[in-house]
Structure formats: C-alpha cells, structure tokens
Amino acid sequence: MPAKLEGKVATAPPRPTSTRPVSVAALATIVDAHLTGPAHADVQVTGVTLRAQHVVPGDVYAALPGTRAHGADFAETALANGAVAILTDEVGAAKLKDVPVLVHPNPRSVVGTLAAHVYGNPSTKTRVWGVTGTSGKTTTSYLIEAALRAAGRPTGLIGTVEMRIGTERIDSALTTPESPDLQALFAVMAERGITDVVMEVSSHALELGRVAATEFEFGAFTNLSQDHLDFHPDMEDYFRAKAKLFDGRARKEVVCVDTEWGERLVKPDTVTVSTTGADATWTASDVEVTPTGEQTFTAHGPDGDLRIELRLPGSFNVANALLAIGCLHASGVPGEAIVEGLAAVQVPGRMQRVDEGQDFTAVVDYSHKPVAVALALDAVRAKTANRVITVLGCGGDRDKGKRPLMGEAAAARSDVLIITDDNPRSEEPSSIRAAMLEGALNTPDRGEVVEIGDRKQAIEHAVSLAQAGDVVVVAGKGHETGQEIAGVVHPFSDVETLAAAIRKAHR
C-alpha cells in the first residue's frame, strides 16, 4: 500500500489547457492493442492517467497490473470520474464490461506511447535534456538549468527535489514521473513557451518505460555505484537500464568517463568529460577550494578554457559541473552564460550549509549510497582539521546489501558516527540500524559509534557534541520534508531540525 501523507492528499499533475481529440480506434492501432467493448469506434480521447482518482472526462484510464492490486479493480472510480476507455491486459479486461477496452499483453510498455500521441508528441516541441547515473543527477540538472536561464532560454525542470515550469514550482513524488504524467507535463511546458526541459532519468524510469516515446536532445551520464539492488538483480542489470538512455533515443550523448561504466557508453561521436586525467573532450585542472567549501577550477574544452566558480563543495561536484558544461557547450550556450549560471547554483539538500551563527559547520546532504556517503565525508574532511560528526540512517524496503557498506563508509570517515533512522517504511527500524552497525563496528580505525533511533534526537545529540571548528553532517534525506514510518509519512526536514537544534543549543 502506498504511504499516506499526514494531512495531505496527493494532487493531480498538471494538464495542458487543450488537446486535440484522438479516436480510441486510432490509439489501438498506434499501440497495437485489441479493442473491445461497445461503440468504441466513435469514442474520442483527450487525456491519459494511471490513477483512477486523477481521471477527468475524456481520459483513457490505464489499469495496470500491480504487486498488490490490479488497476482494473479501481475502474469504477475512473469511469465515475469520466474515463471514456480503459487500457489494460487480459486479466484486467476480464473484470470490465460496458466500456471500450484497449487490451495489450503489456500495457505498461505502451502507455507512454499512447499518452505521447494523445498530447501531440510534446517532447518534440522542446529540447529535453536527460541526466542519468547513480549520483549527481540532481546537481547536474540544476547546473544545466541555471546556465540555460542565464542564456535567456525559458526552462523546465523535472527531478527528485522538484518540478518547475519556468518559475512555478510543483512538488515531485518520483525522480521521473509516470509516463502519462510526464507527457502531459511536456505538453504544459510546450504550451507555456518552455524551450528546454532538464530532467533526471532514473533506472526505474528507463526499465519501466516511463520515458517511452520521449525524444531527448541530450543524454548525460554521471557515474554508477551500488544502489537499487532491491530492484535490479545485480550491477550489470543496473547498468543496462541506465544504458537505455544511450540506445539512440538521445540526439547527443555526453558521458563522464572517470569510471569504466562511463567508458562503456562511449561511441565515436560521444562528448566525454573527465576529472581524473583521462583523454576526454572536456577536462578540469587548477581546482582551488576555499575554507568554506566553494571551488574554482579551469574547464578545458574544444574552444578554449572557462574559469568556473562553484558554490558546491566536493570533487564530485567538479565532475558534475564538467558534465553540465559538456552538454551546454554542445547546445551552443555561450561561455559567459555557462560561467554565470554555474556560479549561482545551490542545490537543496546537496551539501547544503545550515548557518545559525554557530562556531562549527553544519551540512545536510542527500547521500544515501555507500560511494556518495564516502565522497561527501571526504569533502568535509578535506576542509577541517577538527572532528567530523555524522548522523546517518538507511531506508527500509530498499537495497539491504548497502546498509553495512554505508555504516562502514561513514565510520571510517567520522570521529563520531550516530546511526539513526531514515525512512524505515514497512521494516522494523532496529533491524536496519543493526545492519549498519555491523558494518560500522567492523571498520578498522573507526571513530566512536552511537545508536539513537529517533532522528530528531540523533541530530540534537550531534549538535550537543559539536565544538568550534567541527563539522556536523546530517546525511541521507537531504531535501526531503517527510519521514515514512509504517506506511505513514510524518513531516520531517533535516534542514529545519538541524537549524532548530543549533538555535536551541546556542540560546
């Protein structure tokens, strides 16, 4: 069962103000579905959704099979809300009567194509920039989008933290929206004059067809490390899912070749970037870091050098910036706009400073993978001679294999590690912490390890330990504003909780 938001009801995604009706018979032909039901030839469709509660008159309701229920079980609600036809499989079709039904053996695989056709193939009316990889998708997307705006291009943003149409912000539930919502969003953006849409593309989105029928101007690859092995059986399968963005669906491909995973994606016309000295289209040198973590570096490219200023700490953000630069240059964005845009970016929940006038540094970061935790803590360790105090948990109902690895990565780089809860979801929180503790306590030369299940208390304890010059890192949840426990999402913000703890300690 999906998590419930305390006091909130999930809102329907935006729709374009008008669409040209398409006959259900034409749609059946486009997706090679068998059409059954009464008077189907004359039915006109103007929208598509996977959610019965979001149906509006004129919609096709996509009733997909699920792990716990079949979408066809909610057809009555969809029809009451005005659905004019239903896309489903044979199992779903057997549950339906007196309604036009498009029957397909794998309806999920074609719902994106169907939605794209209903909304007029909107991804062809904007430039879509797709960014994939394990870490850095959000930051790279923000960097690209900021430089595009500096160049005067109207932009849209789709990702983990938020969706934006110009300056209008829309809450984001998934890194990549479900395919009908995504196609509708593209149509809204095109309707409002957006020329460039920058979006994160998750492995789930590629594997489950959420970006089916999306035409990409750019496909960009950051890196690959262990994550989502609850969904993918192994790293090779995870990589194959990411590699789908580079199967020809993107007109231009830009790849970071600092790892073997990136090297495997390179083709003769691929734009490559590297921060490790590999032969690449774009490279970086002369990295300088200020005491507060801001960075400057020189980007070397085909048309000369750019001196880049970043507000984002960490060597990994130099790689993210270089990837963004490779994309932007290939799109013809002027160097001065690239420099201006990148210098202004601060990404919510990504190495985000929390400053309440305290004499120690406080940082919130979204790192929730072993490599990301290591990189974040290495970045703060590099700029302090004092202690690093880390608060970290692991999410429930996700890849269990990374829990001891995250405990190990944090313990090896922290003077004090406080293991706490993240989003336990349906799991027993203590069992998640136990797996992390196993990795942490078996780490040679580790610092002190403390277990405090309550996340608020864990953060407050970290603040109580902090002395002048120390760094407190609260990792794992970043920008999130809720904590999911036993199927309920309770309001919780690491940034707000950390700030409140600092104010309380310094009253």
Side-chain angles (χ1 to χ4, degrees):
M1 182 178 295
K4 300 176 182 177
L5 285 170
E6 283 197 333
K8 295 184 179 180
V9 177
T11 56
R15 301 277 193 108
T17 57
S18 63
T19 57
R20 180 177 296 177
V22 182
S23 74
V24 72
L27 292 176
T29 299
I30 289 166
V31 300
D32 195 23
H34 174 57
L35 189 56
T36 67
H40 53 251
D42 298 328
V43 171
Q44 299 293 305
V45 174
T46 53
V48 186
T49 184
L50 300 180
R51 297 174 180 85
Q53 69 271 31
H54 291 167
V55 166
V56 298
D59 276 0
V60 167
Y61 167 55
L64 308 183
T67 55
R68 301 180 185 178
H70 197 291
D73 297 331
F74 308 100
E76 186 175 341
T77 298
L79 294 170
N81 287 339
V84 295
I86 294 176
L87 169 69
T88 191
D89 57 8
E90 292 284 359
V91 174
K95 299 172 180 280
L96 304 169
K97 60 181 180 179
D98 301 328
V99 60
V101 180
L102 296 96
V103 186
H104 191 279
N106 185 5
R108 181 176 286 280
S109 69
V110 299
V111 65
T113 300
L114 187 146
H117 194 83
V118 169
Y119 294 118
N121 296 308
S123 67
T124 65
K125 300 171 184 176
T126 64
R127 286 179 290 266
V128 180
W129 305 57
V131 182
T132 197
T134 303
S135 301
K137 295 188 297 297
T138 299
T139 298
T140 303
S141 295
Y142 270 76
L143 291 166
I144 291 171
E145 197 250 355
L148 290 171
R149 283 190 284 109
R153 296 190 189 178
T155 59
L157 183 70
I158 302 173
T160 306
V161 175
E162 62 181 338
M163 297 190 294
R164 256 195 281 115
I165 306 172
T167 58
E168 180 187 350
R169 188 180 189 278
I170 304 166
D171 286 337
S172 182
L174 296 172
T175 297
T176 310
E178 292 284 6
S179 52
D181 298 343
L182 181 63
Q183 296 300 327
L185 185 57
F186 286 149
V188 171
M189 290 184 177
E191 192 175 68
R192 297 188 189 179
I194 298 300
T195 61
D196 294 82
V197 181
V198 187
M199 66 178 294
E200 299 176 48
V201 184
S202 66
S203 63
H204 290 68
L206 289 158
E207 193 71 15
L208 298 174
R210 291 181 196 158
V211 291
T214 298
E215 295 193 17
F216 290 91
E217 181 71 15
F218 282 92
F221 178 82
T222 60
N223 51 60
L224 200 78
S225 63
Q226 182 173 334
D227 197 20
H228 302 306
L229 296 190
D230 54 319
F231 180 76
H232 301 283
D234 52 39
M235 287 294 292
E236 191 62 33
D237 185 79
Y238 183 30
F239 172 73
R240 281 196 296 268
K242 294 289 191 184
K244 289 181 179 181
L245 185 59
F246 305 90
D247 63 3
R249 70 182 73 195
R251 294 185 181 89
K252 300 171 187 175
E253 298 175 357
V254 185
V255 173
C256 180
V257 293
D258 285 345
T259 67
E260 62 173 318
W261 301 109
E263 291 175 352
R264 290 171 59 180
L265 294 173
V266 175
K267 303 168 188 171
D269 56 351
T270 302
V271 175
T272 56
V273 307
S274 175
T275 62
T276 60
D279 184 26
T281 314
W282 284 91
T283 58
S285 70
D286 305 318
V287 179
E288 298 177 4
V289 183
T290 71
T292 54
E294 289 83 3
Q295 305 182 87
T296 59
F297 70 94
T298 301
H300 307 280
D303 299 327
D305 299 345
L306 296 173
R307 190 61 182 170
I308 302 297
E309 297 181 3
L310 279 182
R311 296 172 62 188
L312 309 170
S315 59
F316 52 92
N317 278 320
V318 175
N320 292 334
L322 205 61
L323 185 66
I325 292 166
C327 294
L328 292 159
H329 176 267
S331 186
V333 176
E336 56 268 25
I338 295 175
V339 172
E340 177 187 345
L342 268 57
V345 172
Q346 176 66 62
V347 185
R350 271 63 177 178
M351 300 300 284
Q352 181 176 346
R353 292 280 299 273
V354 176
D355 189 351
E356 295 290 331
Q358 76 275 11
D359 57 5
F360 60 89
T361 300
V363 176
V364 168
D365 190 62
Y366 189 54
S367 47
H368 57 283
K369 300 167 277 282
V371 170
V373 169
L375 288 171
L377 294 180
D378 284 344
V380 300
R381 172 65 71 189
K383 61 180 183 178
T384 183
N386 294 66
R387 297 183 306 163
V388 175
I389 303 168
T390 305
V391 178
L392 180 68
C394 283
D397 301 336
R398 299 294 186 268
D399 180 5
K400 295 182 179 181
K402 70 181 183 182
R403 295 170 186 174
L405 300 178
M406 287 177 64
E408 178 184 357
R413 293 164 174 81
S414 304
D415 297 282
V416 181
L417 169 60
I418 304 169
I419 291 178
T420 189
D421 294 342
D422 189 289
N423 293 310
R425 300 185 175 91
S426 70
E427 285 193 63
E428 172 55 46
S430 61
S431 66
I432 301 173
R433 298 195 302 271
M436 293 185 68
L437 280 165
E438 180 184 359
L441 295 175
N442 288 327
T443 302
D445 302 321
R446 61 174 173 80
E448 180 184 357
V449 177
V450 179
E451 179 184 7
I452 301 175
D454 185 282
R455 194 171 181 89
K456 178 174 180 289
Q457 291 179 13
I459 293 171
E460 290 175 342
H461 183 63
V463 169
S464 74
L465 297 176
Q467 300 173 3
D470 289 346
V471 182
V472 172
V473 180
V474 179
K477 289 175 58 61
H479 64 281
E480 294 177 0
T481 56
Q483 184 179 30
E484 184 178 342
I485 304 170
V488 177
V489 178
H490 304 269
F492 193 94
S493 163
D494 278 356
V495 173
E496 293 177 3
T497 303
L498 180 55
I502 294 170
R503 290 193 300 269
K504 180 180 176 182
H506 288 73
R507 279 195 299 213

